[in-house]
């Protein structure tokens, strides 16, 4: 019962994400595109929650849905593209893009479906990692511990802040 | 989602829309990593942390990209792709 | 002052050269003879210049033997006279220094030619002489006629030199060496059969330089150059290079190619007759002298060609006669040209219509010209009589027909020379021109060479030439055979009398009526028997039209077209792939994706 309920929820979330992502890229107005992006990100967070990765899901909502989409909306308003309707792309371009995307999608789906995935041995139900464990792994320096990426990402963030400030400086 | 993002990257005229498509692509890969981790290697946490860091980095990269867009808007007064097609020579 | 310094330097240098050549000749000919009675062949310098194989190489060196020492004297004397004369003649001309430098270049080349130790060195200097001639004929390069003439001279002689070069190569291949004594073992092994071909080809080269028919066309046109140049190059030295070549190869001709030698004689005889007949009707005095030169060189070739053996007593007399005539002819022909230069300087024209009656104004020139005319006509005691007599003797020894033909040509020579003598100094005077120009005697720099050369012409006949030069090197005593001598004197005197009768008075009724009666012959001879037109036809219609034009078309359209096509295709290709670099990021990403998909396909298939 749990399994089928999981599957249904997964199916609903998946449909939601797919529809919303298609709408993101096909809508004419850009604010709507940002909104649909928000919904896609929320759907993804839902998927994470379904997988049992609550921390990941929370981070997704906080950073992506809360930070990035807000950033997009601000920048859309700053560049005053809010009211315009996007111009229709040339037929040939649309067609080429559509064909390539569909073909690519088909190819990748084909590979994915036909690949024989070896499921994990041991059918235990995975226990969710506690946040204190995550924290400990984040700053641990042993094998499978992530102090190095952590520090690297923090420096990267610093660089990005400085860079963004420099780029967008008022002359 | 990935191919929706690819389609959007090719077809959109507004550069911010292109960036939104890039976000879609990144998001898709994050899901991919998380799912593989969950179903193929449940005892490990590699994919989980990869997705975590990827989210962080995507956000940072988006910020930079938007800063550049703002700069372009200041100079060219437009963020349509057809207005930034001139190459140097 | 500086440009005259060039003339002084040139003249003084050549004076030194002349002094040294006289000294050389004196030492050479007074040194005791070798045991077999010949003069020693001295090679003071000979070094290997370009080796081809271990046995075949081109050397550069100096060869002294009787004919080269004689040529030394001839060349340096005439060149010195021309240098002194040019000081006055070319005074005030633009390019005075250039003129003297070219004269020196020419003297160097000619001396190198006669002193060559091997045939290839001779060829090198042969070409140098040709170049000097080109430069000097085209000296007045602003005149189109002069440029055309210099080109014609160079191209015709170069064309003949092609035969010369092939002859040299055949000779060296079958004879094993470039020197004048081929390897006897190689000759025995079969080379001897190719010797006639090699020597015949070499003669073709000599025929071009010496203006034998049909390669004579350049010499009359070469008179566009300054007159001293004509005196030096086209009377005394360069044009005898061909005769010298045959004399140099004479032992080989006698032993291996006597047939070719006979061909030489026939060509020489025909040329002599042809040129003499044209000279009888020309009105430009320099052209008359040019054709006279061609005719006299024909005499020299005939003298060489009628030899049948190396022993002068048995048939080799022609060798000595030819060299003797070369010597005396150089002297009196250059004298004639220098006198012509004096006359042209005074009346500013080459045509006889501007002259006439000049004996009153230019006595020294008159006497010098008269002496030279008497010499060329073969009147004793002038030098021309002695040398021409020897040639006639040799021709009569060969065959009576050849002897009589040459005697008749000698008569024609006397006739046309006295025709122009009377035309210049007696005959119809162009009074109005002379009133305007006041012709007078030229300055000393121009008259002293005339006097010197006239003096040489008077005494050169008495040189015992046979003591120094003969076909086998032994001393040969020249005795004048009375019958031949009398025949030639009588023919000469009769021709002179005829010319006097026709041309000495102020009007020439006999000459004009003869010209009217034989109108076609007269016109043909006046136009030099249309040989130039034949050449023009062959070159323009046949060679240019049928051969050069298609080749030029192929070059311009096919070969250039090929290159143009490759350039165009590169351009078209790059134009078509230019759109890949469009500046549109989305297009780049599209291509990127396509590539990635293609790779994936490749990997799974």
């Amino acid at each position: 019962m749990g399994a089928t309920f999981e599957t249904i929820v997964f199916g609903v979330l998946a449909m939601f994400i797919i529809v919303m992502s298609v709408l993101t890229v096909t809508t004419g107005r850009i604010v709507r595109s940002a909104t649909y992006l928000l919904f896609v990100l929320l759907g993804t967070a839902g998927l994470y929650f379904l997988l049992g990765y609550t921390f990941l899901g929370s981070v997704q909502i906080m950073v992506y849905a809360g930070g990035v989409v807000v950033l997009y909306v601000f920048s859309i308003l700053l560049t005053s593209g809010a009211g315009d309707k996007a111009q229709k792309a040339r037929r040939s371009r649309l067609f080429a893009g559509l064909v390539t995307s569909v073909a690519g999608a088909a190819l990748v789906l084909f590979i994915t479906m036909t690949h024989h995935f070896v499921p994990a041995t041991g059918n235990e139900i995975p226990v969710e990692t506690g946040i204190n464990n995550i924290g400990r792994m984040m700053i641990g320096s042993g094998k499978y511990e992530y102090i190095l990426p952590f520090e690297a990402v923090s420096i990267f963030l610093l660089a990005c802040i400085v860079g963004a400030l420099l780029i967008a400086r008022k002359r | 989602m990935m191919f929706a993002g690819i389609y959007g990257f090719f077809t959109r005229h507004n550069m911010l829309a292109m960036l939104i498509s890039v976000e879609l692509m990144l998001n898709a890969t994050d899901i991919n990593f998380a799912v593989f981790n969950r179903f193929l290697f449940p005892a490990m946490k590699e994919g989980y942390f990869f997705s975590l860091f990827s989210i962080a980095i995507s956000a940072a990269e988006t910020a930079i990209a938007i800063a550049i867009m703002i700069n372009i808007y200041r100079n060219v007064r437009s963020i349509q792709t057809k207005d930034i097609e001139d190459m140097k020579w | 002052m500086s440009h005259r310094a060039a003339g002084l330097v040139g003249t003084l240098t050549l004076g030194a050269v002349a002094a040294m050549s006289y000294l050389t000749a004196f030492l050479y000919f007074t040194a005791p003879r070798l045991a077999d009675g010949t003069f020693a062949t001295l090679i003071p310098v000979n070094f290997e210049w370009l080796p081809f194989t271990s046995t075949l190489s081109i050397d550069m060196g100096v060869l002294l033997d009787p004919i080269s020492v004689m040529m030394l004297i001839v060349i340096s004397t005439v060149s010195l006279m021309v240098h002194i004369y040019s000081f006055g003649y070319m005074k005030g001309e633009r390019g005075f220094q250039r003129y003297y430098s070219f004269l020196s270049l020419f003297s160097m080349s000619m001396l190198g030619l006669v002193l060559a130790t091997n045939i290839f060195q001779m060829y090198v200097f042969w070409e140098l002489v040709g170049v000097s001639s080109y430069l000097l004929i085209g000296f007045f390069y602003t005149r189109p006629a002069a440029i055309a003439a210099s080109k014609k001279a160079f191209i015709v002689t170069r064309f003949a030199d092609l035969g010369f070069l092939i002859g040299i190569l055949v000779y060296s291949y079958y004879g094993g060496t470039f020197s004048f004594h081929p390897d006897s073992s190689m000759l025995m092994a079969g080379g001897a059969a190719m010797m006639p071909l090699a020597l015949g080809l070499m003669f073709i080269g000599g025929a071009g330089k010496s203006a034998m028919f049909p390669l004579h066309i350049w010499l009359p046109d070469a008179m566009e150059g300054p007159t001293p140049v004509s005196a030096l190059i086209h009377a005394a030295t360069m044009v005898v290079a061909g005769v010298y070549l045959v004399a140099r190869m004479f032992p080989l001709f006698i032993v291996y190619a006597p047939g070719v030698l006979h061909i030489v004689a026939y060509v020489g005889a025909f040329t002599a007759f042809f040129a003499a007949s044209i000279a009888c009707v020309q009105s430009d005095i320099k052209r008359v002298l040019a054709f006279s030169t061609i005719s006299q060189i024909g005499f020299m070739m005939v003298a060489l060609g009628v030899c049948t053996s190396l022993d002068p007593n048995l048939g080799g007399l022609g060798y000595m006669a030819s060299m003797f005539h070369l010597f005396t002819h150089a002297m009196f022909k250059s004298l004639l040209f220098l006198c012509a230069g004096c006359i042209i300087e005074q009346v500013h024209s080459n045509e006889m219509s501007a002259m006439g009656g000049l004996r009153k104004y230019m006595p020294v020139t008159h006497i010098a010209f008269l002496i030279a005319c008497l010499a060329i006509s073969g009147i004793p005691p002038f030098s021309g009589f002695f040398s021409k007599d020897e040639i006639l003797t040799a021709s009569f020894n060969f065959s009576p027909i050849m002897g009589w033909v040459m005697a008749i040509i000698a008569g024609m020579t006397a006739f046309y020379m006295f025709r122009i003598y009377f035309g210049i100094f007696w005959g119809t005077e162009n009074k109005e021109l002379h009133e305007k120009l006041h012709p007078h005697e030229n300055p000393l720099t121009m008259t002293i060479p005339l006097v010197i050369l006239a003096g040489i012409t008077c005494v050169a006949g008495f040189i015992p030439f046979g003591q120094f030069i003969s076909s086998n090197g032994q001393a040969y005593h020249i005795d004048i055979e009375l019958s031949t001598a009398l025949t030639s004197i009588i023919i000469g005197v009769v021709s002179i009398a005829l010319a006097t009768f026709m041309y000495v008075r102020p009007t020439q009724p006999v000459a004009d009526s003869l010209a009217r009666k034989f109108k076609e012959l007269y016109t043909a001879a006046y136009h030099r028997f249309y040989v130039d037109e034949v050449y023009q036809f062959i070159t323009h219609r046949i060679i240019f039209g049928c051969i050069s034009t298609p080749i030029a078309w192929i070059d311009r359209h096919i070969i250039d077209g090929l290159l143009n096509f490759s350039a165009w295709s590169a351009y078209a290709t790059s134009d078509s792939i230019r759109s890949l670099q469009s500046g549109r990021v989305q297009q780049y990403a599209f291509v990127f994706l396509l590539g990635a998909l293609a790779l994936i396909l490749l990997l799974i298939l």
Side-chain angles (χ1 to χ4, degrees):
Chain A
M1 218 16 166
T4 40
F5 180 66
E6 219 175 286
T7 320
I8 293 172
V9 172
F10 169 71
V12 169
L13 273 174
M15 277 321 295
F16 179 71
I17 289 174
I18 290 175
V19 168
M20 285 301 147
S21 61
V22 170
L23 280 173
T24 312
V25 294
T26 52
T27 187
R29 300 203 210 158
I30 196 148
V31 183
R32 291 208 184 163
S33 186
T35 316
Y36 292 138
L37 180 70
L38 177 66
F39 287 134
V40 166
L41 295 172
L42 287 176
T44 314
L47 266 182
Y48 288 147
F49 283 127
L50 189 62
L51 283 176
Y53 292 145
T54 45
F55 181 62
L56 192 55
S58 342
V59 166
Q60 168 89 356
I61 292 180
M62 278 194 295
V63 171
Y64 247 136
V68 169
V69 173
V70 169
L71 201 54
Y72 269 116
V73 171
F74 270 136
S75 62
I76 289 170
L77 293 174
L78 264 177
T79 55
S80 74
D84 315 332
K85 238 180 140 63
Q87 299 155 2
K88 256 302 191 237
R90 262 204 329 266
R91 267 284 158 180
S92 57
R93 203 154 128 196
L94 253 160
F95 188 67
L98 190 62
V99 164
T100 323
S101 310
V102 168
L107 183 63
V108 170
L109 276 173
F110 170 73
I111 295 173
T112 318
M113 294 305 183
T114 55
H115 188 263
H116 175 60
F117 286 101
V118 178
T121 54
N123 265 332
E124 76 245 7
I125 303 200
V127 188
E128 192 191 316
T129 323
I131 190 125
N132 52 349
N133 268 342
I134 292 177
R136 204 167 296 128
M137 284 168 90
M138 196 76 88
I139 56 173
S141 57
K143 198 165 156 69
Y144 300 124
E145 295 193 328
Y146 300 98
I147 181 67
L148 191 55
F150 179 71
E151 296 301 333
V153 170
S154 34
I155 292 183
F156 174 71
L157 284 171
L158 175 67
C160 284
I161 292 173
V162 173
L165 277 174
L166 262 177
I167 292 174
R169 209 164 33 151
K170 196 95 173 157
R171 299 250 168 239
Chain B
M1 211 193 323
M2 169 75 131
F3 282 95
I6 288 176
Y7 174 77
F9 190 78
F10 289 150
T11 0
R12 306 283 274 174
H13 286 285
N14 194 328
M15 281 199 277
L16 284 172
M18 277 165 70
L19 281 178
I20 289 177
S21 316
V22 172
E23 287 306 313
L24 278 179
M25 287 194 258
L26 287 168
N27 210 26
T29 64
D30 290 342
I31 295 182
N32 216 8
F33 275 110
V35 167
F36 277 145
N37 185 28
R38 170 72 172 75
F39 286 112
L40 297 179
F41 306 99
M44 317 288 280
K45 286 272 179 243
E46 304 277 300
Y48 181 87
F49 277 95
F50 193 95
S51 293
L52 206 56
F53 288 125
S54 172
I55 290 174
I57 292 177
S58 312
E61 165 250 323
T62 301
I64 297 281
I66 288 186
I68 295 177
M69 293 296 156
I70 303 252
N71 221 3
I72 290 177
Y73 181 75
R74 271 200 212 136
N75 287 326
V76 187
R77 274 283 157 231
S78 160
I79 48 168
Q80 304 293 316
T81 52
K82 62 165 80 66
D83 294 325
I84 55 165
E85 268 181 17
D86 287 333
M87 296 220 260
K88 194 166 178 180
W89 299 115
Chain C
M1 256 305 133
S2 64
H3 71 282
R4 291 169 68 90
L8 275 169
V9 166
T11 315
L12 286 171
T13 322
L14 214 54
V17 168
M20 281 196 279
S21 47
Y22 295 144
L23 185 65
T24 312
F26 178 71
L27 290 174
Y28 185 79
F29 286 124
T30 53
R33 291 176 184 251
L34 295 177
D36 60 357
T38 58
F39 284 105
T41 306
L42 298 172
I43 301 186
V45 180
N46 196 20
F47 63 91
E48 196 178 272
W49 182 50
L50 286 181
F52 286 139
T53 68
S54 55
T55 47
L56 192 60
S57 69
I58 303 178
D59 303 337
M60 286 282 157
V62 170
L63 172 74
L64 290 175
D65 88 357
I67 49 172
S68 66
V69 173
M70 176 205 77
M71 286 299 290
L72 272 184
I73 299 179
V74 169
I75 297 168
S76 50
T77 311
V78 177
S79 190
L80 180 62
M81 294 300 122
V82 167
H83 272 77
I84 299 174
Y85 182 89
S86 306
F87 213 76
Y89 188 84
M90 300 295 284
K91 184 166 157 189
E93 287 281 349
R94 258 195 77 190
F96 192 80
Q97 303 98 309
R98 185 165 52 101
Y99 176 80
Y100 269 92
S101 61
F102 289 159
L103 273 186
S104 300
L105 178 71
F106 173 78
S107 308
M108 179 272 285
S109 325
M110 195 68 206
L111 287 170
L113 197 156
V114 301
L115 293 172
T117 50
N118 58 70
I119 190 94
F120 212 98
Q121 181 186 351
M122 200 179 198
Y123 181 70
V124 168
F125 282 103
W126 190 277
E127 294 300 333
L128 268 174
V129 166
V131 166
S132 317
S133 165
Y134 168 79
L135 291 168
L136 280 165
I137 297 174
F139 182 73
F140 298 120
Y141 56 81
T142 47
R143 286 203 340 229
I147 298 190
S150 66
K151 268 195 294 190
K152 188 173 184 175
F154 193 66
I155 291 176
V156 172
T157 49
R158 200 78 181 83
F159 177 68
D161 292 344
L162 178 66
F164 192 7
L165 185 61
I166 299 177
I168 292 177
L169 295 175
V170 172
Y171 173 80
S172 65
Y173 187 76
Y174 286 102
T177 172
F178 283 115
S179 79
F180 298 118
H181 306 284
D183 192 10
S184 45
S185 55
M186 283 198 72
L187 283 179
M188 301 262 224
M194 298 300 284
M195 276 299 130
L197 176 68
L199 292 169
L201 285 168
M202 285 198 223
F203 171 65
I204 290 180
K209 236 344 157 251
S210 293
M212 296 283 107
F213 182 87
L215 296 164
H216 67 283
I217 48 170
W218 63 274
L219 191 51
D221 288 358
M223 299 294 123
E224 297 286 340
T227 311
V229 165
S230 306
L232 178 61
I233 300 186
H234 306 123
T237 39
M238 185 176 107
V239 291
V240 299
V243 179
Y244 182 75
L245 173 68
V246 177
R248 199 24 108 214
M249 311 296 287
F250 188 72
L252 295 171
F253 268 106
I254 290 283
V255 175
Y256 297 107
V260 181
L261 215 48
H262 293 319
I263 296 178
V264 170
Y266 296 137
V267 169
F270 180 76
T271 309
F273 180 72
F274 182 80
S277 49
I278 296 182
C280 289
V281 300
Q282 296 293 314
S283 63
D284 179 339
I285 54 171
K286 279 181 80 172
R287 269 30 182 220
V288 172
L289 293 175
F291 281 105
S292 164
T293 308
I294 300 176
S295 185
Q296 294 300 305
I297 297 171
F299 264 87
M300 295 177 217
M301 286 291 192
V302 165
L304 278 171
V306 299
C307 291
T308 46
S309 88
L310 280 172
D311 185 348
N313 297 309
L314 293 174
L317 175 63
Y319 182 86
M320 187 220 66
S322 171
M323 292 292 110
F324 196 12
H325 197 62
L326 199 158
F327 185 86
T328 56
H329 173 262
M331 300 299 163
F332 58 67
K333 193 42 79 62
S334 54
L335 174 60
L336 279 170
F337 268 104
L338 294 181
C339 292
C342 285
I343 295 163
I344 293 171
E345 179 88 351
Q346 291 304 314
V347 299
H348 296 298
S349 159
N350 287 8
E351 298 285 328
M352 288 220 283
S353 53
M355 306 174 191
L358 285 176
R359 70 186 182 283
K360 304 188 283 253
Y361 309 108
M362 305 167 75
V364 177
T365 314
H366 176 213
I367 301 293
F369 200 91
L370 181 60
I371 292 177
C373 282
L374 286 171
I376 200 175
S377 309
I379 305 293
F382 300 105
S383 56
F385 163 69
F386 293 94
S387 53
K388 197 169 278 200
D389 186 60
E390 294 303 316
I391 295 184
L392 286 176
T393 314
S395 311
F396 272 113
N397 287 346
F398 177 71
S399 95
I401 304 177
M402 186 64 97
W404 281 110
V405 167
M406 300 316 288
I408 292 175
I409 301 178
M412 289 168 78
T413 311
F415 176 73
Y416 65 70
M417 287 311 296
F418 272 90
R419 171 176 170 261
I420 59 165
Y421 165 73
F422 286 121
I424 296 172
F425 293 107
W426 298 77
T428 326
E429 183 171 346
N430 190 338
K431 293 216 168 52
E432 56 219 36
L433 188 67
H434 292 173
E435 231 125 90
K436 235 189 336 189
L437 292 172
H438 297 294
H440 55 84
E441 200 58 72
N442 283 295
L444 271 179
T445 51
M446 288 168 76
T447 41
I448 290 195
L450 298 181
V451 170
I452 297 177
L453 283 171
I456 298 179
T457 312
C458 291
V459 303
F462 297 105
I463 300 175
F465 215 75
Q467 302 289 330
F468 304 117
I469 293 179
S470 72
S471 41
N472 59 2
Q474 316 271 356
Y476 173 76
H477 181 63
I478 301 178
D479 28 34
I480 313 282
E481 206 184 288
L482 210 55
S483 57
T484 327
L486 272 178
T487 318
S488 67
I489 295 176
I490 293 176
I491 290 183
V493 169
V494 165
S495 311
I496 296 176
L498 187 61
T500 316
F501 167 66
M502 283 171 73
Y503 293 105
V504 72
R505 276 179 289 247
T507 56
Q508 296 96 36
V510 181
D512 294 335
S513 69
L514 273 176
R516 268 195 304 277
K517 230 158 76 164
F518 297 105
K519 195 148 170 284
E520 296 87 19
L521 200 59
Y522 180 80
T523 339
Y526 191 76
H527 287 110
R528 308 172 192 175
F529 292 112
Y530 303 113
V531 181
D532 282 300
E533 278 78 3
V534 170
Y535 270 102
Q536 286 273 43
F537 177 76
I538 294 179
T539 48
H540 281 252
R541 289 295 183 77
I542 298 181
I543 297 181
F544 289 174
C546 302
I547 301 180
S548 309
T549 322
I551 295 179
W553 185 91
I554 291 177
D555 181 55
R556 205 166 305 125
H557 289 104
I558 295 183
I559 297 180
D560 279 359
L562 213 62
L563 291 168
N564 286 348
F565 174 73
S566 64
W568 173 86
S569 61
Y571 177 75
T573 314
S574 71
D575 207 25
S576 61
I577 61 176
R578 190 170 66 101
S579 52
L580 277 177
Q581 294 277 326
S582 62
R584 299 199 296 265
V585 179
Q586 288 164 316
Q587 187 191 318
Y588 297 164
F590 185 70
V591 175
F592 195 85
L593 177 71
L594 282 178
L597 285 179
L599 267 175
I600 296 174
L601 267 174
L602 262 171
L603 281 174
I604 61 165
L605 285 176

